[in-house]
Amino acid sequence: MKYSFMRNSIRQIGLSISCLLIFILIMKILDVENFGKILGFLILYSILICFIVIVSEIARQKRIKNLLLKFYKEMDYRLVDELSSELGEDYRFLIEKIFNNQKNLLSKYEFNRSELINYRDLIEKWAHDIKTPISGLSLVLENNKSVMDDNLYQKLYLSNQQIKTKLDIILYYARSTSSKKDYSMDLINLKEALDDALVEYYPIILEKELLVINNLVDTYVISDYNTLVFMISQIISNCVKYAESKVVFDIIATDEISFRISNDGSKPSDRDYAFLFDKSYTGTNSRRDDSTGLGLYLVKSFSDDLGIKIDPVKDDKFFMIDMIFTNPEQF
């Protein structure tokens, strides 16, 4: 409380004033000579006492506040003695209990944090390791395409690409939670980044018989290439998943560069738009039980790092997401 020193001082001030009134009453009854001068001295003395009490209480409150802050930050047992001395020995048991509980909580926190870091490192290592046999499987599929049934090949290839996509999400999620992220910022051709991102979705596009309308021309932005390809692939994944008949890619270049990815499938409800990029949010219109909501969450997370604005656009016919870049010509 901002003025708690007044509340803590009121008892002593009240006692001082009560004593003053009693002395005044006694002097009045005894008809003491020079009553006026003595009364003036007593009033000045009482004012001085009240001032000293208030100043002392302010200083005490400040010492207690500083000790509590230091105790909270450092959790040093030596401060238990100082706090007990300031608050009174009756508080020592409570202070020691707080100290022990906080130490136990900090120990549990550090243990759990270490376990989570180890678990994340293990998952990340596993994801990297598992990519080797998956790449080998891709090579085997490609080398035996001519001798395999087309339908079987497409199904195996599609399953293999889906596994790779899920692994990428794990790896990029681990990267997004890392305190240090290494980005290599270069001048990137958006058309080339889109082509690289689209490759893994061709089997799904063919299976769903979707029309792909690619209106991109050579357009350059500044970003991290691998992260940008991953972000585009996650938006494409969402669009392909819900598209009815087509997916469209456009560039809108003005003072900024807007890369628009859209599809003609079911659109999020109006209330869903505010939560599209929230972690694990799959939407009320989701038709897939296996949706994790991580893809668009990671897109938003990396876009904040790279200075890319992600803007879902409401439209009657299409569901659109704009990736808005600063035009490199401004630099």
Side-chain angles (χ1 to χ4, degrees):
M1 190 174 179
K2 190 174 181 180
Y3 299 107
S4 61
F5 68 90
M6 290 297 296
R7 184 184 61 189
N8 295 337
S9 304
I10 197 71
R11 184 177 297 175
Q12 292 171 291
I13 293 172
L15 181 61
S16 176
I17 293 173
S18 297
C19 290
L20 173 64
L21 293 174
I22 290 171
F23 275 121
I24 292 172
L25 180 62
I26 291 172
M27 287 189 300
K28 194 71 175 174
I29 292 172
L30 296 177
D31 194 20
V32 176
E33 294 183 7
N34 299 319
F35 175 77
K37 292 180 180 180
I38 295 173
L39 178 62
F41 171 78
L42 288 174
I43 291 172
L44 287 174
Y45 178 76
S46 296
I47 292 172
L48 178 62
I49 291 297
C50 290
F51 176 76
I52 291 172
V53 166
I54 291 173
V55 170
S56 298
E57 184 58 31
I58 291 173
R60 178 175 174 271
Q61 293 274 328
K62 188 174 181 179
R63 287 196 305 273
I64 292 173
K65 181 181 177 181
N66 290 335
L67 278 173
L68 285 172
L69 285 172
K70 192 175 180 182
F71 181 68
Y72 172 74
K73 290 179 179 178
E74 298 178 8
M75 275 297 136
D76 190 336
Y77 190 79
R78 289 174 297 179
L79 295 172
V80 172
D81 291 333
E82 294 184 45
L83 271 173
S84 300
S85 174
E86 197 65 52
L87 295 173
E89 284 300 317
D90 292 341
Y91 286 91
R92 175 178 287 275
F93 173 76
L94 180 59
I95 296 168
E96 287 181 343
K97 189 172 182 180
I98 293 172
F99 173 82
N100 292 328
N101 286 343
Q102 189 69 6
K103 278 294 183 182
N104 289 335
L105 286 174
L106 287 173
S107 296
K108 289 179 181 178
Y109 167 78
E110 287 299 327
F111 175 78
N112 290 334
R113 180 173 175 272
S114 176
E115 288 294 299
L116 283 173
I117 290 173
N118 291 336
Y119 180 72
R120 188 191 70 187
D121 291 343
L122 176 64
I123 293 297
E124 191 172 353
K125 183 179 184 303
W126 173 85
H128 278 294
D129 291 344
I130 207 70
K131 275 198 163 188
T132 302
I134 290 173
S135 298
L137 178 59
S138 299
L139 187 60
V140 170
L141 284 173
E142 194 61 34
N143 290 338
N144 293 275
K145 182 177 180 180
S146 59
V147 297
M148 292 179 66
D149 177 74
D150 286 343
N151 188 42
L152 176 61
Y153 172 80
Q154 289 296 334
K155 287 182 178 179
L156 289 174
Y157 185 84
L158 176 58
S159 297
N160 195 48
Q161 289 301 118
Q162 287 175 334
I163 294 171
K164 288 172 67 177
T165 301
K166 300 294 185 184
L167 282 174
D168 282 339
I169 288 178
I170 290 175
L171 290 171
Y172 275 91
Y173 179 72
R175 186 183 182 192
S176 72
T177 58
S178 174
S179 58
K180 294 182 180 179
K181 303 171 189 173
D182 297 324
Y183 294 116
S184 178
M185 306 300 284
D186 294 304
L187 195 64
I188 294 169
N189 188 337
L190 268 177
K191 188 174 182 298
E192 292 179 2
L194 173 61
D195 290 341
D196 281 351
L198 263 176
V199 167
E200 62 185 81
Y201 292 98
Y202 283 134
I204 305 174
I205 290 169
L206 289 172
E207 185 180 81
K208 294 188 67 173
E209 298 181 349
L210 298 176
L211 174 64
V212 176
I213 303 174
N214 187 350
N215 296 322
L216 262 66
V217 294
D218 290 335
T219 306
Y220 293 88
V221 296
I222 296 175
S223 191
D224 178 82
Y225 189 83
N226 291 330
T227 307
L228 181 59
V229 169
F230 171 78
M231 291 167 64
I232 294 172
S233 73
Q234 292 308 305
I235 298 176
I236 293 173
S237 174
N238 187 76
C239 286
V240 168
K241 187 185 298 180
Y242 298 111
E244 294 292 343
S245 61
K246 59 185 173 182
V247 179
V248 184
F249 303 99
D250 289 299
I251 285 290
I252 305 168
T254 53
D255 293 337
E256 297 177 312
I257 296 173
S258 294
F259 173 34
R260 176 167 293 176
I261 304 174
S262 54
N263 72 82
D264 62 345
S266 60
K267 294 174 286 297
S269 64
D270 288 341
R271 89 176 181 89
D272 280 345
Y273 273 92
F275 306 101
L276 281 177
F277 301 99
D278 285 3
K279 188 177 180 180
S280 301
Y281 188 78
T282 57
T284 55
N285 288 342
S286 177
R287 300 172 301 181
R288 304 264 306 198
D289 294 331
D290 61 345
S291 296
T292 62
L294 274 178
L296 291 183
Y297 163 76
L298 291 174
V299 168
K300 186 65 173 66
S301 177
F302 286 117
S303 70
D304 291 340
D305 285 350
L306 297 173
I308 304 169
K309 183 180 177 183
I310 303 295
D311 185 24
V313 182
K314 292 185 180 181
D315 184 83
D316 293 336
K317 296 182 179 180
F318 289 88
F319 171 62
M320 307 176 181
I321 291 182
D322 283 358
M323 300 181 71
I324 304 173
F325 301 82
T326 301
N327 196 325
E329 294 180 0
Q330 296 184 8
F331 294 97

